[in-house]
Amino acid sequence: MNKALSGLGLAMRAGKLLTGDEIVYKAIRSSEAKLVILAKDASMNTQKKFRDKCGTYKIPLLIGFDRESLGSSIGKPERVVLAVTDQGFAKLIMKHAGIMSEVEYIE
């Protein structure tokens, strides 16, 4: 498994990861989210919603991996959107994601 995904697993175990549309939205609005990760197979509508929201609140957005690998990296079923709430984990994941081929988009 690649390092960005194992970083997600670590963040999950440390309690620094949120999942689910509404919960992630709240985290973006409150600036609790330090990084939002969206599955590359999320619908165009969902991608646009999170791109706009993250852009407005200046939260880095990473679009990559698929629902299955996001879910399995945190020991849960398929996940479309995740928010990392710790700056250290966010940096670690972005550093590793920047060199990954599975990542389509980082803003």
Side-chain angles (χ1 to χ4, degrees):
M1 192 201 285
N2 76 54
K3 289 188 167 128
L5 288 174
S6 44
L8 283 175
L10 290 171
M12 182 72 185
R13 286 191 291 281
K16 302 292 182 191
L17 198 68
L18 303 171
T19 147
D21 273 30
E22 278 313 304
I23 295 165
V24 171
Y25 259 150
K26 281 188 185 129
I28 293 170
R29 282 197 296 268
S30 68
S31 294
E32 185 190 353
K34 305 302 177 215
L35 169 65
V36 173
I37 300 160
L38 193 59
K40 65 183 172 194
D41 53 355
S43 72
M44 283 297 139
N45 190 19
T46 302
Q47 288 191 23
K48 183 184 177 342
K49 260 189 342 196
F50 280 100
R51 259 193 187 124
D52 293 350
K53 199 51 103 181
C54 287
T56 303
Y57 290 89
K58 310 246 182 305
I59 310 266
L61 172 67
L62 187 154
I63 298 178
F65 311 109
D66 53 31
R67 315 161 178 245
E68 224 159 79
S69 46
L70 286 178
S72 64
S73 72
I74 61 169
K76 300 231 184 280
E78 297 182 354
R79 291 291 184 247
V80 174
V81 65
L82 306 169
V84 180
T85 58
D86 177 84
Q87 194 61 58
F89 282 121
K91 279 192 177 126
L92 173 92
I93 292 162
M94 287 197 358
K95 187 179 101 184
H96 293 301
I99 49 177
M100 300 309 304
S101 56
E102 292 98 342
V103 173
E104 294 177 358
Y105 176 87
I106 300 178
E107 189 173 81

